[in-house]
Amino acid sequence: MSTVRLFFALWPAPSLAATLAAWAEQARPSCGGRVMRTETLHLTLAFLGPVDAALADELAAATPERRLAPDDMTVDRYGVFGRQRILWAGPGDTPPGLQAAHDELWSWLSGYGLAAPPQPFRPHVTLLRNIEHATPPADAPAPLAWRYDRMVLVASESQSGGSRYRIVAQSRPQGA
């Protein structure tokens, strides 16, 4: 049986991704680690992991019919996942609209037999992997406004030197 490793995400506009990449470069001297490639920066809404290829095709076909309520989020802090050795950027608190989008997405995915993870949703963009110091920089750069109105379904394909992300489908903006 063939599987595909999938996740749903918010994908930043190129200018926002470039600014997030600059955040990573600013943090690297104090944290160490490997900077994520700018073109891979994203905020995961739902990590599905390996799914059967037939289910992956179903999800790709159904995703354009999904709607994501347009909303804004402010990325204003660094954080660390110490056990995973990750430095991330994200909002100080989970915005209610983003939490609702996460919950609605998992409710829809449950119809496909997929279950939400037990841990609370912590919206973040991974900036550095394999950090050497588990204390985030004290001062984050100026807050970033992130306007979103759609989500993408992404296939993660392992390659030497890391993963390659391929957008396989995207939702449509509300009203489109």
Side-chain angles (χ1 to χ4, degrees):
M1 169 184 1
S2 173
T3 63
V4 181
R5 188 174 156 109
L6 294 176
F7 62 91
F8 280 93
L10 300 181
W11 211 263
S15 61
L16 180 58
T19 303
L20 288 165
W23 276 44
E25 290 295 344
Q26 179 177 325
R28 188 163 185 246
S30 64
C31 296
R34 177 175 53 90
V35 175
M36 302 302 297
R37 295 186 317 272
T38 304
E39 66 274 11
T40 66
L41 297 174
H42 65 278
L43 186 148
T44 301
L45 287 172
F47 179 73
L48 309 182
V51 301
D52 181 77
L55 176 56
D57 290 343
E58 279 185 64
L59 292 170
T63 295
E65 300 308 314
R66 300 292 308 158
R67 299 289 183 274
L68 186 65
D71 207 348
D72 297 293
M73 164 180 51
T74 300
V75 177
D76 58 1
R77 66 181 290 229
Y78 287 120
V80 167
F81 295 134
R83 190 171 48 88
Q84 295 90 350
R85 299 177 52 214
I86 288 173
L87 177 85
W88 54 263
D93 294 311
T94 302
L98 189 59
Q99 182 69 54
H102 171 266
D103 295 345
E104 290 167 14
L105 177 58
W106 276 111
S107 178
W108 175 66
L109 291 168
S110 71
Y112 290 92
L114 300 169
Q119 66 269 22
F121 178 47
R122 174 76 211 138
H124 68 280
V125 177
T126 298
L127 299 177
L128 299 169
R129 290 194 180 277
N130 302 319
I131 60 174
E132 298 160 10
H133 307 287
T135 303
D139 297 318
L144 302 174
W146 186 337
R147 176 86 177 151
Y148 59 87
D149 66 355
R150 69 191 77 206
M151 64 183 165
V152 294
L153 176 62
V154 182
S156 174
E157 301 162 342
S158 294
Q159 295 182 332
S160 62
S163 294
R164 177 179 165 263
Y165 297 151
R166 181 174 51 87
I167 296 174
V168 295
Q170 73 175 353
S171 67
R172 292 189 291 193
Q174 223 169 28

